[in-house]
Every structure is written in structure tokens, then in C-alpha cells.
């Protein structure tokens, strides 16, 4: 049976994911995408609101983790270091192996884990592949690349379905 590309809710931004509410649902690990999820493409420094959100997660005993498909060390790894969170590149989203490797490294099970990302066909599909709760955010900025608009259009039906079944 094909794996579902439907997310559990569509949120305006990562900071809309309330750490207390996540913890109340038993979540202790948040796997996050970088580009258009935590920051726009190209940004290297963690913004203040992301630092504050990460601290609020930690105050609830929730670990933030950067799950990247990047194949070379560089911006994503440096971003994670400056934010003070674990990083994994070569994650191969939407395949499940990268998600499983990240959970194994952190000693967490799928039911304790959410994935937050902006793309249905990588972040969401991979999370469902791995049995992790798929939470979708609106991309921070589509401008600058026509391909992003096309992808967003292709994702629209799944976004609409996902809006009807929020996790929080
Ligand atoms: Mg992204």
C-alpha cells in the first residue's frame, strides 16, 4: 500500500508549534527541515525567534534536531552548530532510513517524534514512511525560484486534506 502524503495539520510557522502542547501529546523529539521551514533559503544565522522556540522546547524536555538532505558539510551543519542542536546530513528524505537513524541516535521511538517541514513529497512523505508524526508548515518564502511555485501547486490537495486532521 502506498504511503500517505497527507500531513497532520498545516501550521503558519514552526513557532506556532507549542512546546507544551507537543509534550502533552508525548513528543520528545522534533526533527526539523532547514530551508523554508526554520529559515529562508540562504540564511546562515539562527534568528532570535528560532533560538527562543528551541529553548522553549528544551524547557519541556523536547530535543530539536536538524534533519537535512544536504550531501556536503556547510551551511546546514553550521546553522545547527550555532543553534546548538544535533545535525544529520545525507538524510535521504523521503526514504525512512534517515529518520530511523536520527531516532536511534537520540534514543527515541516514532511515537515520541514529529517531523516539521515545508515539503509534502520529502518531509511529510518521509515522516509517514518512518511512522513519525508529519507536521507541515507553510514555506517561509517561495519567491526566487519558479520551481517552488509549481511544487507548492502540486502539494495543494494534500495540504487541504492535512488541514482537516491537525495533530495539535
Ligand atoms: Mg524545506
Amino acid at each position: 500500500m502506498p504511503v500517505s502524503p497527507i500531513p497532520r495539520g498545516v501550521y503558519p510557522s514552526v513557532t506556532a508549534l507549542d512546546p507544551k502542547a507537543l509534550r502533552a501529546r508525548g513528543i520528545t523529539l522534533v526533527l526539523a527541515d532547514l530551508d523554508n521551514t526554520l529559515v529562508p533559503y540562504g540564511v546562515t544565522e539562527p534568528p532570535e525567534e528560532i533560538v527562543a522556540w528551541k529553548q522553549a522546547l528544551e524547557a519541556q524536555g523536547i530535543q530539536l534536531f536538524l534533519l537535512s538532505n544536504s550531501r556536503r558539510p556547510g551551511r546546514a551543519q553550521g546553522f545547527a552548530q550555532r543553534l546548538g542542536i544535533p545535525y544529520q546530513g545525507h538524510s535521504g528524505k523521503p526514504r525512512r532510513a534517515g529518520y530511523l537513524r536520527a531516532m536511534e541516535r537520540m534514543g527515541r521511538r516514532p511515537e515520541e517524534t514529529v517531523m516539521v517541514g515545508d515539503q509534502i513529497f520529502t518531509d511529510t512523505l518521509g515522516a509517514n514512511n518512518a511512522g513519525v508524526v508529519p507536521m507541515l508548515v507553510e514555506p517561509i518564502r517561495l519567491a526566487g525560484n519558479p520551481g517552488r511555485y509549481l511544487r507548492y501547486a502540486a502539494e495543494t490537495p494534500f495540504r487541504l486534506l492535512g488541514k482537516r486532521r491537525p495533530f495539535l
Side-chain angles (χ1 to χ4, degrees):
M1 200 177 88
V3 171
S4 167
I6 301 170
R8 297 293 311 277
V10 182
Y11 306 85
S13 71
V14 292
T15 54
L17 307 182
D18 176 34
K20 277 191 182 141
L22 286 169
R23 187 61 205 234
R25 299 295 308 271
I27 298 304
T28 57
L29 177 62
V30 173
L31 305 175
D33 170 57
L34 179 61
D35 288 321
N36 257 352
T37 296
L38 293 179
V39 288
Y41 281 91
V43 171
T44 56
E45 292 300 319
E48 222 169 83
E49 67 270 18
I50 296 298
V51 173
W53 182 62
K54 173 246 182 187
Q55 286 168 347
L57 287 168
E58 284 178 355
Q60 295 298 319
I62 301 171
Q63 178 72 58
L64 182 62
F65 186 110
L66 187 56
L67 191 77
S68 169
N69 271 4
S70 175
R71 293 173 175 278
R72 52 201 158 90
R75 185 175 68 93
Q77 188 164 21
F79 183 94
Q81 267 167 12
R82 284 188 287 281
L83 187 55
I85 62 171
Y87 167 80
Q88 181 181 288
H90 295 85
S91 291
K93 296 175 282 186
R95 291 191 298 277
R96 66 204 291 256
Y99 294 77
L100 301 182
R101 199 157 74 235
M103 286 187 280
E104 188 178 304
R105 181 169 149 198
M106 302 313 295
R108 303 298 212 281
R109 290 170 290 122
E111 54 270 35
E112 300 170 297
T113 305
V114 302
M115 171 76 205
V116 58
D118 69 299
Q119 287 186 37
I120 292 275
F121 300 114
T122 52
D123 304 311
T124 299
L125 192 58
N128 279 328
N129 261 330
V132 165
V133 180
M135 302 182 84
L136 194 73
V137 290
E138 293 291 350
I140 296 172
R141 193 156 53 81
L142 291 174
N145 182 338
R148 286 179 208 150
Y149 287 100
L150 292 173
R151 191 174 59 217
Y152 189 83
E155 291 174 343
T156 296
F158 305 110
R159 286 178 183 271
L160 292 175
L161 289 168
K163 277 181 185 169
R164 293 192 210 148
R165 34 174 307 205
F167 181 64
L168 295 182

